[in-house]
Amino acid sequence: MLVMHESTAGILLCRVGDGENSEIKIVDKYLFKENKEAVNILSEIKNHRINDELCGFLKKNVSEDEYLIVNDKELVKSLGEKAIKAKEDLILQKKLKMEIETRILKHFDLTEEEFRNKWRYIADNIATDSLHFQVKEFDTMVIQSIKLYDDLEKDVNMHSMRIKEWYGLHFPELSNLIENNEKYLRAVDRIGNRENLSKMEDEECSEFNMKKVQKLAKNSVGSDLKDEDIKKIKEDIACVLSMITYRTELVSYLTEKMNEIAPNVTELLGVMVGSRLLVKAGSLSALSKMPASTIQILGAEKALFNALRQNGKTPKFGILFHAPLVSNCANKGRMARMLAAKTAIAARVDYYKKDRDGALGKKYYEQLDKKRQKMQDVGSKGVVVRKKTGSKPKVEKR
C-alpha cells in the first residue's frame, strides 16, 4: 500500500506491507524548496485541496490500479477529481507517523535546528492565515456582536434595578408610575431631589406627567438624601444611558451586517432572531447544512433531551418562538415547522449564492404571513369556529 505523509520539510510517499511488522520503504519524496511553498501546499492540504505541482508528483508515483492512503476523507474526494485513486486509513497513518517522525531529519537531510525553524515558520503562517480567514467571515462579527448585545442587556437591566432600589429610598412612588427603564432613568436624572419638582414646568419633562409626579412627591414616604448621594446616582445613570445609546448603535450595526451576509434569513426571521440562530449554529455555513427539523428546535436542546429521557413530548420550537410569525400565530407548532423549512432554504441561498438581495426571504415571509392569518380563526386542535347571528357558534372539523 502506498501512503502519503505530510511534514514541514516535504511530502513522503511510503510503501507499507500488509503484515503488522512489515517494513516501511520510502518510494519518493517531494522536498519543499522554500518555506513559502511549504505554507502554500500544507494550507491547501489542510483545506482538502491539492495543487498542480503536488498532483503531478503523485501521478508520477501512483499507478492507475493502486490506491493512495491519506488521513482526510475530504482529501479523498479532491484526489478523485484529479484522477488519483485514494482512500482514508487513520490507523495506518498513525502507525506510519510514529515510524517516520523519528527519522524525518535523516530523510530530508536537515539538522535539528533547520527543522525546528521550518516548523515554527510554517506553524505561525498557517495560524495567521486561519485567523485572517475568520476575520473575513462576517458571520463571526455578527456572532460576537449579538453576544455583546446580550451582555449589554443584562448590564442595563441590572444597573436599572440597582438605581430603582437606590433612588427608591428617596422617591419610591416614581418606579410605579414609570415602568420603562430608560424613561425612568432619564426622569430621575432630570428630577434629582424630589423637592426640585415644585420648581419644574410641564414642558421640561416629556418622560412623565408632571402633575401626577408632583402630587406623588408631596405625599412621598421616602427619606431625604444629601446632594452628594444624588450626585452619585446621577453618575451611575449617565453610565447606564451611555450603554443604552451604544446598544441602539449596536442594533444598527447588526442590521447592516445581517443584511450583508444573510439578507433572506433576516427578511424571514428579523435581525435579532436570525443572528441568534447564527450564534446557536456556529456559523452561516453550519446553518446552511442543517435540516429544517434541527433548525426548528435550535435553542431547545435541553428540553429535547429531557423529553427523550423521560419519554415525554418533544419541544416544537426553540429560538424560532421569538420570530413574529410564530409568536403571533394561534398554531405555533405548525407555523414553527413551516418557518424552519423556509429558513433552511433561505440560509442555503444566502451561503451559496453570490448575488442575494433578500427577495426570496420577503416572498417566503409574505407566503407564511398569509397562512398565519388563516390560522388565526383555527384553534390548536385544527377546529374552525364560525359564528352565526342569533344562534350558537357552529363548530366544524378542519
Side-chain angles (χ1 to χ4, degrees), residues 128-192:
T128 304
D129 290 343
S130 178
L131 186 62
H132 287 173
F133 176 77
Q134 287 181 5
V135 171
K136 288 176 185 175
E137 291 293 316
F138 289 119
D139 55 1
T140 307
M141 301 299 174
V142 170
I143 290 168
Q144 295 300 326
S145 298
I146 193 65
K147 286 181 178 179
L148 176 58
Y149 178 88
D150 290 339
D151 291 340
L152 280 172
E153 191 76 17
K154 289 177 185 176
D155 289 342
V156 167
N157 290 335
M158 184 181 67
H159 276 269
S160 299
M161 182 184 69
R162 183 66 56 211
I163 291 169
K164 281 184 179 181
E165 290 179 2
W166 195 356
Y167 190 72
L169 298 172
H170 177 61
F171 192 4
E173 295 83 4
L174 186 63
S175 60
N176 296 327
L177 184 65
I178 308 173
E179 294 182 357
N180 182 275
N181 285 338
E182 185 178 357
K183 288 183 178 180
Y184 178 84
L185 295 174
R186 294 190 186 280
V188 172
D189 190 42
R190 292 198 179 188
I191 294 170

Side-chain angles (χ1 to χ4, degrees), residues 242-275:
S242 66
M243 283 194 285
I244 290 172
T245 304
Y246 179 65
R247 185 181 62 182
T248 307
E249 293 171 1
L250 191 61
V251 171
S252 301
Y253 172 79
L254 261 173
T255 305
E256 182 184 339
K257 286 295 178 186
M258 282 296 292
N259 285 325
E260 188 175 346
I261 68 163
N264 291 298
V265 172
T266 305
E267 288 291 342
L268 190 56
L269 301 176
V271 175
M272 303 309 292
V273 177
S275 55

Side-chain angles (χ1 to χ4, degrees), residues 27-65:
V27 176
D28 202 353
K29 55 188 176 183
Y30 182 91
L31 183 64
F32 296 139
K33 297 170 187 175
E34 297 178 351
N35 288 338
K36 288 183 179 179
E37 183 188 12
V39 171
N40 292 334
I41 291 177
L42 292 175
S43 295
E44 291 284 314
I45 293 173
K46 178 175 174 286
N47 294 319
H48 324 297
R49 294 191 296 267
I50 295 288
N51 68 358
D52 294 334
E53 289 185 15
L54 185 57
C55 181
F57 167 75
L58 293 175
K59 283 183 176 179
K60 184 180 73 174
N61 291 282
V62 183
S63 62
E64 294 181 359
D65 302 331

Side-chain angles (χ1 to χ4, degrees), residues 287-306:
L287 184 64
S288 67
K289 295 169 187 174
M290 286 182 176
S293 57
T294 303
I295 293 173
Q296 184 180 344
I297 58 170
L298 271 180
E301 292 84 1
K302 190 175 180 181
L304 173 66
F305 293 127
N306 284 338

